[in-house]
């Protein structure tokens, strides 16, 4: 109802005093099917153009009844007419009223040299003052702002110069410069009376978003900017902040910063703010809180320390469900393929291997307890209430999780040597129950799969040491691994073991394949099936030339 009353007040024929906030009207009577030059005089006398605008075009937004600007028209192939109507393109030459509002005898001033905004460049030029804005106070529209969109379209706003001067340093400088030049020109022509009738015309080309620029100008006429920003939202408030900073609208900048600091952001809004703060430097007292949310002081050291603490915390976590959830979370953050990968160093190679050494030390202690090498009461007293098998399995899970991170970062070569040198674990493997010792072969299985699928590259000496140490235990534990897979792909494991054996020198292949053949003949399916790799080794070792080619062709 308030808007309709305002429209009725703007379109009545009786002169009334303008409201203190803003007015919205066409400067001239637009051409429409209801208002043609050939219509009867009586009809034109009673029918005046409505001040509201039809559906907004692609480069304008609906007028607000609380704005402090006068909407003249938009430069577009289609003209806006009466409410709810958009007229087709008219060939009537008298229909284009946008350019014939007021004569333009005054010179132009370059706005781009005054403004710091990256989103537009503009210039101002002087035009004669329209009689429609002759009221006193804030109702005097003595400045015309002509906005031209970067992708076409335009918007013309009639504004009060005093409001622009009070809010924007850029517009204030242009208006003062215009008045100074116009005053000297009038004095030289001895026609000082025309100074009050001149209108300052400012043209702003290359505007990226006409609606955002118009919203920014409207905020100059708002008594409660914070309330208006609540309706606009954070995404548009960031764009308004950019325009406000460009035209040096201090009140708008402070209000946008205060609003944005108090609301949560999406990732897209956070990226926009971060990019904006790299272009504009705001006052530290007003932007300090936002900068604290965008950046962390000593970010590299803090991120590295936090990542190290997270890894240590996960390896010592007692709750299985929480540990598995956190492992998935942290691994996704630390992996090279993660969408959260940043330029800062998050976790170093030395940090990961320090945790690996700690987990291996705990595993050795647990295996000593399981093999009755030391009394049970002196080992890990704080966890004696939990089953030993569960504690060993947890440490093996931690080692495998760390190994997956190392493999993802392609820094797992050193771990091959570390695992091959576990002499104590190898000795305890012989004297420990099969239901416990098979956990050790889970680590060996991950290494075999990584090497057989070309994800782990290491020297021939390291591969030979690993297979000499853990190939025999793998043959013993393969049956238990089949029954308790825990995520292992047994077919992939068999294929990878054969491929890894084939990377060794022929002499070492001979020893390992003969060992497998003897064990497989006794245990059958309880042993990995390496028949395919064994055939390849046999052909390479004993058959050459045409004989090899003939057998392969058959």
């Amino acid at each position: 109802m308030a808007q309709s009353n305002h429209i009725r007040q703007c379109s009545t024929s009786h002169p009334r005093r303008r409201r203190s906030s803003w007015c919205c009207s066409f400067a001239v009577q637009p051409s429409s099917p209801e208002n043609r030059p050939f219509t009867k005089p009586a009809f034109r006398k009673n029918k005046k153009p409505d001040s509201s605008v039809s559906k907004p075009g692609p480069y304008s937004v609906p007028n607000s009844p609380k704005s402090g600007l006068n909407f003249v028209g938009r430069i577009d192939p289609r003209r806006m007419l009466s409410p709810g109507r958009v007229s087709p393109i008219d060939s009537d030459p008298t229909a284009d009223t946008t350019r014939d509002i007021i004569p333009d005898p005054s010179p132009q001033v370059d706005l781009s040299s005054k403004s710091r905004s990256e989103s537009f460049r503009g210039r101002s030029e002087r035009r004669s003052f329209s009689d429609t804005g002759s009221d006193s106070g804030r109702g005097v529209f003595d400045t015309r702002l002509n906005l031209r969109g970067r992708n076409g379209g335009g918007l013309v706003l009639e504004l009060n110069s005093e409001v622009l001067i009070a809010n924007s340093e850029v517009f204030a400088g242009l208006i003062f410069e215009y008045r100074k030049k116009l005053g000297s020109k009038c004095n030289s022509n001895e026609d000082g009376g025309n100074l009050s009738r001149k209108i300052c015309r400012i043209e702003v080309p290359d505007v990226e978003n006409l609606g955002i620029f118009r919203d920014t100008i409207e905020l100059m006429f708002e008594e409660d900017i914070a309330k208006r920003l609540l309706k606009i939202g954070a995404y548009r408030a960031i764009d308004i902040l950019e325009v406000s900073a460009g035209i040096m609208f201090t009140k708008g900048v402070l209000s946008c910063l205060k609003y944005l600091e108090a609301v949560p952001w999406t990732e897209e809004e956070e990226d926009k703010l971060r990019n904006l703060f790299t272009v504009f430097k705001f006052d530290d007292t007003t932007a300090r809180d936002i900068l604290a949310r965008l950046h962390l002081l000593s970010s590299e050291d803090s991120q590295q320390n936090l990542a190290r603490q997270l890894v240590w915390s996960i390896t010592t976590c007692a709750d299985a469900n929480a540990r598995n959830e956190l492992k998935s979370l942290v691994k996704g953050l630390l992996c090279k393929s993660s969408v959260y990968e940043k330029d800062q160093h998050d976790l170093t190679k030395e940090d990961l291997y320090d945790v690996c050494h700690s987990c291996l030390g705990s595993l050795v202690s647990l295996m000593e307890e399981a093999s009755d090498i030391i009394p049970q009461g002196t080992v890990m007293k704080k966890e004696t209430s939990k089953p030993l098998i569960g504690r060993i399995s947890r440490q093996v899970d931690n080692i495998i999780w760390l190994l997956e991170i190392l493999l993802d970062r392609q820094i797992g070569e050193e771990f091959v040597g570390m695992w091959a040198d576990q002499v104590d674990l190898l000795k305890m493997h012989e004297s420990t129950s099969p239901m416990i010792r098979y956990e050790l072969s889970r680590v060996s299985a991950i290494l075999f799969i990584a090497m057989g699928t070309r994800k782990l590259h290491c020297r021939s000496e390291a591969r030979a040491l690993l297979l000499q140490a853990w190939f025999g235990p793998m043959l013993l534990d393969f049956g238990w691994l089949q029954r308790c897979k825990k995520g292992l792909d047994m077919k992939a494991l068999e294929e990878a073991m054969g491929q890894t054996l084939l990377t060794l020198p022929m002499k070492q292949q001979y020893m390992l394949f003969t060992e497998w053949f003897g064990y497989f003949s006794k245990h059958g399916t309880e042993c990995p099936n390496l028949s395919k790799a064994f055939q390849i080794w046999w052909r390479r070792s004993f058959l050459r030339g045409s004989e090899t080619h003939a057998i392969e062709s058959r």
Side-chain angles (χ1 to χ4, degrees):
M1 291 299 294
Q3 186 174 2
S4 61
N5 294 337
H6 175 65
I7 295 173
R8 191 181 303 110
Q9 180 181 358
C10 293
S11 60
T12 182
S13 60
H14 300 285
R16 293 185 182 181
R17 183 179 181 83
R18 294 183 180 271
R19 296 178 63 179
S20 59
S21 60
W22 81 306
C23 180
C24 167
S25 65
F26 288 102
V28 297
Q29 185 177 11
S31 176
S32 69
E34 294 85 356
N35 189 7
R36 289 287 186 177
F38 55 79
T39 54
K40 295 181 180 181
F43 177 76
R44 291 206 308 265
K45 181 177 181 181
N46 297 327
K47 184 69 174 180
K48 289 192 175 182
D50 201 321
S51 60
S52 63
V53 184
S54 63
K55 297 180 180 179
Y59 303 102
S60 64
V61 296
N63 292 330
S64 171
K66 296 182 67 178
S67 174
L69 44 87
N70 183 21
F71 182 81
V72 176
R74 60 189 293 269
I75 304 172
D76 198 84
R78 299 189 305 173
R79 303 181 311 281
M80 294 189 298
L81 304 175
S82 59
R85 298 290 301 275
V86 177
S87 174
I89 299 176
D90 197 346
S91 60
D92 187 1
T94 64
D96 189 3
T97 61
T98 305
R99 300 183 180 275
D100 299 331
I101 297 173
I102 297 170
D104 185 14
S106 54
Q108 299 178 351
V109 178
D110 187 7
L111 177 62
S112 59
S113 61
K114 301 288 184 180
S115 173
R116 298 180 182 178
S117 174
E118 298 292 335
S119 61
F120 72 92
R121 303 183 304 278
R123 61 188 182 187
S124 67
E125 55 184 43
R126 295 75 172 172
R127 305 188 69 171
S128 300
F129 179 67
S130 174
D131 294 336
T132 60
S134 60
D135 294 347
S136 60
R138 295 181 67 178
V140 178
F141 303 121
D142 55 353
T143 302
R144 177 166 294 141
L145 192 62
N146 187 4
L147 308 178
R148 296 185 179 275
R150 179 176 298 176
N151 299 322
L155 191 66
V156 179
L157 308 174
E158 283 190 350
L159 309 167
N160 179 261
S161 61
E162 299 303 324
V163 176
L164 288 178
I165 293 173
N167 288 279
S168 171
E169 297 182 21
V170 173
F171 289 139
L174 292 172
I175 294 173
F176 285 142
E177 181 181 356
Y178 161 76
R179 290 179 177 177
K180 181 179 178 181
K181 292 182 179 180
L182 186 62
S184 60
K185 182 178 180 181
C186 291
N187 292 333
S188 62
N189 296 334
E190 297 181 357
D191 189 13
N194 291 333
L195 179 60
S196 61
R197 301 185 71 250
K198 298 290 185 179
I199 184 170
C200 180
R201 182 175 181 270
I202 302 176
E203 183 174 341
V204 186
D206 200 24
V207 177
E208 183 175 357
N209 191 316
L210 293 173
I212 294 297
F213 204 105
R214 183 177 186 273
D215 289 343
T216 306
I217 298 298
E218 285 186 3
L219 291 182
M220 297 182 183
F221 299 84
E222 288 286 342
E223 296 180 358
D224 191 352
I225 298 180
K227 185 177 180 180
R228 179 70 181 276
L229 290 175
L230 288 175
K231 299 179 181 179
I232 292 176
Y235 191 87
R236 290 177 67 86
I238 298 174
D239 294 329
I240 292 176
L241 174 62
E242 180 180 3
V243 177
S244 300
I247 63 176
M248 303 179 70
F249 176 24
T250 305
K251 186 177 179 182
V253 170
L254 297 178
S255 299
C256 289
L257 290 175
K258 183 177 180 181
Y259 167 74
L260 291 171
E261 192 280 329
V263 298
W265 310 323
T266 64
E267 291 192 12
E268 184 179 3
E269 292 167 351
E270 181 181 350
D271 292 337
K272 288 184 63 176
L273 267 177
R274 184 175 285 105
N275 294 332
L276 182 60
F277 271 73
T278 59
V279 177
F280 295 97
K281 183 178 181 181
F282 300 98
D283 187 79
D284 292 338
T285 58
T286 58
R288 181 177 60 251
D289 294 334
I290 293 182
L291 287 172
R293 290 176 59 178
L294 290 173
H295 304 286
L296 183 64
L297 297 179
S298 301
S299 57
E300 292 187 7
D301 295 338
S302 300
Q303 185 179 5
Q304 182 176 345
N305 293 333
L306 178 59
R308 187 188 303 113
Q309 293 174 7
L310 291 177
V311 173
W312 278 101
S313 299
I314 291 174
T315 56
T316 57
C317 182
D319 186 85
N321 294 329
R323 183 173 62 253
N324 294 333
E325 186 70 24
L326 292 176
K327 281 181 178 180
S328 177
L329 172 64
V330 175
K331 181 182 176 183
L333 295 175
L334 298 182
C335 285
K336 284 294 184 181
S337 58
S338 172
V339 296
Y340 300 100
E341 183 185 0
K342 305 296 181 182
D343 294 334
Q344 293 88 356
H345 300 287
D346 47 9
L347 198 63
T348 63
K349 177 180 177 180
E350 290 75 15
D351 294 332
L352 287 172
Y353 276 101
D354 287 343
V355 184
C356 289
H357 281 291
S358 176
C359 292
L360 286 174
S362 300
L363 182 60
V364 170
S365 299
L366 291 172
M367 291 297 294
E368 289 175 348
E369 182 180 351
S371 59
D372 295 330
I373 296 179
I374 58 176
Q376 296 184 4
T378 60
V379 179
M380 303 181 70
K381 294 182 179 180
K382 62 179 180 180
E383 291 186 344
T384 53
S385 60
K386 296 184 179 181
L388 180 61
I389 297 178
R391 285 181 279 157
I392 293 176
S393 179
R394 189 186 73 182
Q395 288 299 332
V396 172
D397 289 338
N398 292 336
I399 294 173
I400 292 176
W401 176 66
L402 293 169
L403 178 57
E404 290 176 349
I405 296 178
L406 293 174
L407 293 176
D408 180 81
R409 295 180 170 227
Q410 299 179 356
I411 53 175
E413 297 84 359
E414 293 184 14
F415 188 87
V416 176
M418 288 173 52
W419 190 245
D421 292 338
Q422 297 300 316
V423 180
D424 294 335
L425 289 178
L426 288 170
K427 292 180 179 180
M428 289 181 286
H429 183 275
E430 300 175 356
S431 59
T432 308
S433 171
M435 63 184 304
I436 293 178
R437 71 187 185 191
Y438 90 95
E439 293 283 353
L440 302 179
S441 293
R442 290 174 55 203
V443 179
S444 303
I446 299 298
L447 292 173
F448 289 152
I449 293 176
M451 289 188 291
T453 55
R454 305 177 183 179
K455 294 181 180 179
L456 177 59
H457 307 144
C458 55
R459 299 180 61 183
S460 175
E461 295 81 358
R463 296 195 305 271
L465 290 175
L466 178 68
L467 287 168
Q468 289 174 5
W470 290 102
F471 183 73
M474 175 62 70
L475 297 180
L476 294 173
D477 299 331
F478 192 81
W480 276 91
L481 288 176
Q482 284 181 315
R483 290 184 285 272
C484 304
K485 298 178 182 180
K486 294 187 177 181
L488 278 178
D489 186 346
M490 304 308 297
K491 291 295 183 180
L493 175 59
E494 291 178 325
E495 180 70 21
M497 288 181 64
Q499 293 295 329
T500 305
L501 286 176
L502 293 174
T503 61
L504 299 178
M506 281 293 184
K507 185 177 181 179
Q508 295 177 354
Q509 291 185 39
Y510 172 81
M511 292 186 296
L512 294 176
F513 274 117
T514 53
E515 179 183 358
W516 165 82
F517 192 89
Y519 195 89
F520 185 78
S521 63
K522 296 179 180 180
H523 298 87
T525 57
E526 292 291 311
C527 180
N529 189 348
L530 306 182
S531 300
K532 183 178 179 180
F534 185 83
Q535 292 177 13
I536 297 175
W537 165 76
W538 182 270
R539 289 196 299 267
R540 291 178 179 176
S541 300
F542 304 106
L543 302 178
R544 293 180 176 84
S546 59
E547 297 181 4
T548 302
H549 178 72
I551 294 177
E552 290 180 350
S553 62
R554 281 186 304 202

